[in-house]
Amino acid sequence: MKTVLFFVALCGTLSVVELISPCVKCQNDQSCKPPNCFCCRDELNLPIPLSETPQIVFFTFDDALTDAASKFYRKLFNETRMNPNGCPISMTLFISHQDTIYRNVNDFYKRGMEIASHSVTHSHMSTSNFMEEAKKQKRNLAKLGGIPENEIVGWRSPFLEPIGDMQPDKLKELGYVYDATLTYSKRKLSDKAPTPFTLDFGWPYDCKVKPCPKRHHAGFWEVPVVSLMDYKHKYDCVYVDGCNNPPPNEASAYQFLMDNFNSYYTTSRVPFGINMHSSWFYIADRLNAMDRFINTLLKMDDVYIVSVDKTIKWLQNPTPLGELHAFEPWKCDHLKARQESDKATSNNRQGMGLSHAELQQMYIQQRLRQIAEMRKEIELRKQRELQLLQQTSNFVNRPWWSPPRRPQSNSNIHRSPFTQEIPNAHVLENTLEETVQEPVKTDKALATKSAGI
């Protein structure tokens, strides 16, 4: 990150004005040091040589965790695929509530994947709904997915739409550690990419989707969504599945992934993020290309495929390749504990003497209770909203329609409201009344004559 020099003419004198970027300002500030603070940068500049720096690759997948999506993820991130330290590769799932199958959430958690939040309704975030969405989805993942709440530390807003400084403030208040919403565009494959960093000096880059946070948010991490270049190296793609030039076959899809990876691996070794949706895999060539791409990375002893939270753990405590086998945050002993805990729960149920059908019935009853609680909560919320509406608006208590008042007159003759202002209108009304009554008289006369009366 460099300073920018501007030449300004003042009173006939040429002066040089130096604008220091927030990233440089942060790096010049000796108080910002890991693990509590990490300056924004496009080069790691760590106290370890580049040759001893692992190339971190982190995958993120957005939206509901359905059975169809889970099938793809199990194929690509199966337990046989290991990092050089002997632990399984991992990814981050930003999960929204609607259509998510929560048994899949728990399954991927036990496999060592990071479970992060992506809102309840997957709607546009605003200052009025953000707090509720971030709070409730964290609770959903904890209660329905069986995830310890303190392990749900990541958030991404739907449609990558931030809401400014309120976002990191409220996320930090709710116990989140990082946000992964703000975007950064690479215009060429050779462009440098920023690392994840803390917002101690605000968001320093161009704000692609407004509003971005402007204030300082000490110790809160931002993981930029850095675009990739399409397979023709022509246009940038925020998501892998969002390219204007999608790869037409397996070979071009594989090369697209490798070209973007090498733009990090052969230069700065900044952590490389692959952000996408599972819909990309509905085309078999692309699924095969991703499978081949991951296999290629697994053959490299200096490449690690880890989740976002593990990426942050490494940036907080940069560790050279030769010591990563002992790097505590990347160990996988806890996975055995998770699986053994699940087996113990299963054994306890079997010890109760319950058949498969009875266990299934217990699960259904539990889900029905959860649904009943949710419906009760929705009904209470509706009642509160109705009460608030009645208190703040008189319009609800007004009659929707009232008949027009008839004009007051001392005359026995009805005076039309449309003619009451016309001079001599009563003469016209009398004439009209006589004209209407004449055919009635004529009919009576004809009836009398025909009857011989």
Side-chain angles (χ1 to χ4, degrees), residues 2-6 17-21:
K2 299 178 180 178
T3 58
V4 181
L5 298 179
F6 281 93
V17 178
E18 184 179 28
L19 297 181
I20 302 176
S21 75

Side-chain angles (χ1 to χ4, degrees), residues 1-71:
M1 202 60 59
K2 299 178 180 178
T3 58
V4 181
L5 298 179
F6 281 93
F7 294 89
V8 182
L10 296 173
C11 301
T13 305
L14 192 64
S15 301
V16 179
V17 178
E18 184 179 28
L19 297 181
I20 302 176
S21 75
C23 297
V24 174
K25 193 181 297 184
C26 176
Q27 291 174 37
N28 291 339
D29 185 346
Q30 297 299 317
S31 64
C32 183
K33 295 180 180 179
N36 298 323
C37 183
F38 193 89
C39 294
C40 50
R41 64 192 74 184
D42 53 24
E43 293 180 354
L44 287 172
N45 292 328
L46 299 174
I48 56 176
L50 202 62
S51 59
E52 277 296 306
T53 301
Q55 176 60 66
I56 294 173
V57 179
F58 61 88
F59 286 81
T60 74
F61 295 93
D62 292 6
D63 297 348
L65 186 56
T66 62
D67 285 335
S70 298
K71 184 178 179 181

Side-chain angles (χ1 to χ4, degrees), residues 208-241:
K208 299 296 182 184
V209 183
K210 294 177 174 58
C212 296
K214 296 179 180 179
R215 300 198 312 267
H216 300 179
H217 302 275
F220 189 80
W221 286 79
E222 185 64 41
V223 182
V225 180
V226 182
S227 64
L228 280 66
M229 295 302 297
D230 66 27
Y231 83 103
K232 292 183 176 180
H233 303 176
K234 199 171 183 181
Y235 302 112
D236 63 321
C237 326
V238 177
Y239 283 111
V240 169
D241 50 299

Side-chain angles (χ1 to χ4, degrees), residues 162-175:
I163 59 165
D165 286 291
M166 178 186 175
Q167 186 152 321
D169 280 345
K170 295 302 180 184
L171 289 175
K172 194 172 183 179
E173 184 180 327
L174 292 171

Side-chain angles (χ1 to χ4, degrees), residues 42 184-194 226-237 243 252 254-270 272-273:
D42 53 24
Y184 181 94
S185 292
K186 288 179 63 173
R187 299 302 183 186
K188 303 189 298 293
L189 203 61
S190 59
D191 284 353
K192 293 181 178 181
V226 182
S227 64
L228 280 66
M229 295 302 297
D230 66 27
Y231 83 103
K232 292 183 176 180
H233 303 176
K234 199 171 183 181
Y235 302 112
D236 63 321
C237 326
C243 293
S252 59
Y254 172 76
Q255 198 58 49
F256 156 64
L257 295 168
M258 286 302 303
D259 287 348
N260 280 279
F261 165 77
N262 282 322
S263 71
Y264 290 72
Y265 180 65
T266 60
T267 57
S268 65
R269 294 216 174 177
V270 164
F272 172 43

